[in-house]
Amino acid sequence: MIILKGAAVAARIQEEIEAQLKELREEGLDRTPRLAIVRVGERPDDLSYERGALKRMEKCGLEARVYAFPNEISREEFENAFQEINRDDGIDGILLFRPLPKHIEEKRIMEIMDPAKDLDGICPVNIAKVFSGDASGFAPCTAEAVVEVLKANNIAISGKRTVIVGRSMVVGRPLSMLLLKENATVTICHTRTADLAGTCRGAEILVAAAGKAKMLDASFVGQGAVVIDVGINVDEEGNLCGDVDFASLDGAASMATPVPGGVGAVTTSVLAKHLVKAVRQRR
Ligand code: NDP
């Protein structure tokens, strides 16, 4: 079984970013593209993603600033602060950690965010673009990272039976649209799917995005399938693991992404790529 490592894909995306930045500079860009990371509270998952994003931005020659607010911030105060960031001409893109605390109306923030700065594809305009196959918008970074992993490894998508386990607006649904755009034949599974194992076994490309530690083992994998694991979970021993029982795959899957070191490692690279895209589109 070939292990599809995220680092190699991230390195390729970084090269692409560097070439695009060079081009932008030659066209007269005289400042470094800047990302605003907006966080309310201190959830460990957010902090860990934030550290990864800051590192990635620096590696790619991009700038990032964290705007952190306490959980107790009032709805009005947060909306005002967010609008200031949103309207700041020196900020090219925004990453907003969600869910926001209950007293802040997330829907309203998604509606006021400038779609041109919405690097993680949460605004209605960007969601609509992903669903209509319009590549001018921004797709959620994790969903796009899955497509990047497949493409970077020359895995044919067109015409392939592709099964996604998970139908969230962050991963499953947008990913199904991105894969459909690549002409895959897509099936989406969820908790009401009648024969999950059988459906998964029919996949040539199987994507796990359920958020359940090691729930898919070799019995869910058809012979020679490509398995992409989006899940980030903690197992009984406290170790990071995916939705797939990776150790069981040998002999079943032809290729698979590990956790950690798979899709997760590509997500921040897609974020960096989106920042450069935002700058290009604004010019
Ligand atoms: P959600 O909890 O929002 O959605 C999970 C989806 O999986 C739901 O649609 C749910 O079905 C389905 N599901 C859950 N359990 C089962 C089951 N036993 N059988 C079939 N379907 C099931 O999760 P997210 O989409 O936000 O995240 C999914 C995973 O991806 C998580 O582990 C998360 O940590 C990870 N993630 C990774 C990122 C990365 O950068 N690599 C970024 C974002 C998320 P139903 O709709 O019926 O409830």
Side-chain angles (χ1 to χ4, degrees):
M1 182 179 78
I2 296 169
I3 298 175
L4 304 171
K5 295 217 172 109
V9 184
R12 261 181 70 147
I13 298 175
Q14 187 168 328
E15 275 173 26
E16 241 177 80
I17 290 170
E18 282 163 2
Q20 286 177 3
L21 268 180
K22 190 164 168 266
E23 227 176 84
L24 280 166
R25 295 231 156 83
E26 282 164 5
E27 288 165 9
L29 179 73
D30 56 1
R31 61 183 190 82
T32 306
R34 184 183 295 160
L35 165 73
I37 299 178
V38 182
R39 167 167 56 79
V40 182
E42 305 204 322
R43 266 193 310 264
D45 289 5
D46 294 348
L47 291 172
S48 145
Y49 188 77
E50 184 178 296
R51 280 192 296 274
L54 290 174
K55 240 173 120 181
R56 177 68 59 200
M57 294 301 144
E58 201 189 335
K59 256 190 166 170
C60 292
L62 303 166
E63 216 178 291
R65 268 192 203 169
V66 177
Y67 296 81
F69 302 96
N71 269 320
E72 305 73 42
I73 190 167
S74 75
R75 172 184 158 163
E76 197 188 352
E77 266 180 299
F78 180 72
E79 275 187 27
N80 290 338
F82 186 82
Q83 268 299 24
E84 219 174 284
I85 297 164
N86 201 28
R87 291 188 178 137
D88 185 338
D89 260 348
I91 290 170
D92 303 290
I94 299 173
L95 171 71
L96 170 70
F97 286 119
R98 295 181 304 150
L100 291 168
K102 284 203 174 66
H103 65 277
I104 298 174
E105 202 190 333
E106 198 167 287
K107 193 163 165 269
R108 164 134 178 89
I109 302 295
M110 284 153 75
E111 279 165 6
I112 59 175
M113 192 192 288
D114 180 353
K117 294 186 179 183
D118 170 28
L119 304 190
D120 208 18
I122 61 173
C123 290
V125 171
N126 284 317
I127 294 169
K129 283 187 175 179
V130 169
F131 277 70
S132 65
D134 177 349
S136 72
F138 296 101
C141 296
T142 304
E144 195 170 314
V146 172
V147 179
E148 291 281 358
V149 169
L150 293 170
K151 286 188 171 173
N153 288 287
N154 297 316
I155 296 162
I157 305 172
S158 181
K160 297 291 177 197
R161 292 187 307 277
T162 304
V163 173
I164 303 168
V165 184
R167 57 176 164 180
S168 77
M169 282 300 285
V170 182
V171 192
R173 285 180 208 225
L175 176 59
S176 69
M177 292 298 131
L178 296 179
L179 291 170
L180 193 60
K181 191 171 185 328
E182 298 295 329
N183 299 311
T185 302
V186 184
T187 304
I188 309 177
C189 297
H190 43 80
T191 52
R192 307 291 175 92
T193 298
D195 177 15
L196 184 64
T199 309
C200 289
R201 273 197 302 274
E204 292 165 285
I205 299 172
L206 175 62
V207 183
K212 293 274 158 15
K214 299 182 186 174
M215 73 168 269
L216 305 180
D217 62 15
S219 68
F220 290 75
V221 177
Q223 194 60 44
V226 174
V227 180
I228 309 289
D229 192 352
V230 180
I232 300 178
N233 316 291
V234 177
D235 68 14
E236 287 143 1
E237 283 95 47
N239 298 317
L240 212 60
C241 72
D243 289 353
V244 176
D245 182 1
F246 190 79
S248 77
L249 292 184
D250 233 351
S254 61
M255 305 181 197
T257 58
V259 178
V263 176
V266 182
T267 305
T268 52
S269 300
V270 173
L271 181 69
K273 188 174 158 176
H274 282 183
L275 182 62
V276 176
K277 177 175 168 180
V279 172
R280 291 177 75 154
Q281 289 187 341
R282 270 178 84 194
R283 285 165 66 83

